[in-house]
Amino acid sequence: MLEKIVLRDEKVLHFPRGCNKAPRKESLVQFYANILESRSSNLNQFVSPSITWKEIHNTFIEGAEIINVWLIERHKDIEEMYIESVITHGKEAAVKGTYTSNNELTYFCDIFEFKSAGRQAPIIEVTSFRMNE
């Protein structure tokens, strides 16, 4: 079962019910909400300054400030996002779902690595897989 929140500019984010009982899952949902709301300054609380982001067959970016701007630009036209699952274990996590942008459906899976298994550890690396329908 998914919960739904309507964000700024009428963007809609659906996410698995019960994430609030798992702090890291809740943080990842909030991370995506900040991206959809174009809140780049809020993204800094989730990422290491030296974060790297790899998008398979497309992009490799280093550094929090550059990545934050890129994430906002890359996701600015998303109308609705469905986070279907958030899996966390130790210092790794995965988020799988879909989003609609300009009437095009995209499937995604983002694999996160955190600095440690600690609750507040920053994201140090992300590997993204995207496929348009």
Side-chain angles (χ1 to χ4, degrees), residues 36-84:
L36 294 177
E37 290 190 315
S38 300
R39 296 179 184 219
S40 62
S41 61
N42 289 359
L43 294 175
N44 288 329
Q45 67 182 315
F46 299 100
V47 302
S48 164
S50 59
I51 183 176
T52 60
W53 195 294
K54 295 180 271 187
E55 193 170 70
I56 300 304
H57 301 299
N58 197 10
T59 307
F60 179 85
I61 304 172
E62 292 181 89
E65 295 306 317
I66 294 169
I67 287 172
N68 291 348
V69 170
W70 175 77
L71 284 171
I72 301 292
E73 182 62 29
R74 175 99 165 66
H75 296 89
K76 71 179 180 185
D77 293 329
I78 291 178
E79 299 131 12
E80 192 163 24
M81 178 180 276
Y82 287 84
I83 297 176
E84 296 167 9

Side-chain angles (χ1 to χ4, degrees), residues 11 73-81 99-106 132-133:
K11 295 181 179 196
E73 182 62 29
R74 175 99 165 66
H75 296 89
K76 71 179 180 185
D77 293 329
I78 291 178
E79 299 131 12
E80 192 163 24
M81 178 180 276
Y99 58 82
T100 306
S101 176
N102 298 316
N103 294 321
E104 184 173 70
L105 181 66
T106 300
N132 294 333
E133 185 170 73

Side-chain angles (χ1 to χ4, degrees), residues 5-13 37 78-80:
I5 54 174
V6 178
L7 304 167
R8 187 170 53 182
D9 297 331
E10 300 302 311
K11 295 181 179 196
V12 179
L13 177 62
E37 290 190 315
I78 291 178
E79 299 131 12
E80 192 163 24

Side-chain angles (χ1 to χ4, degrees), residues 22-25 27 88-93 112-124:
R24 181 153 286 163
K25 289 182 180 184
S27 291
T88 63
H89 183 74
K91 56 187 255 182
E92 297 179 321
F112 294 86
E113 182 179 341
F114 295 85
K115 187 171 183 175
S116 72
R119 182 180 284 187
Q120 299 298 320
I123 301 166
I124 60 171

Side-chain angles (χ1 to χ4, degrees), residues 18-35:
C19 280
N20 58 353
K21 292 184 174 50
R24 181 153 286 163
K25 289 182 180 184
E26 184 178 357
S27 291
L28 287 167
V29 169
Q30 191 59 48
F31 179 72
Y32 286 95
N34 281 306
I35 292 169

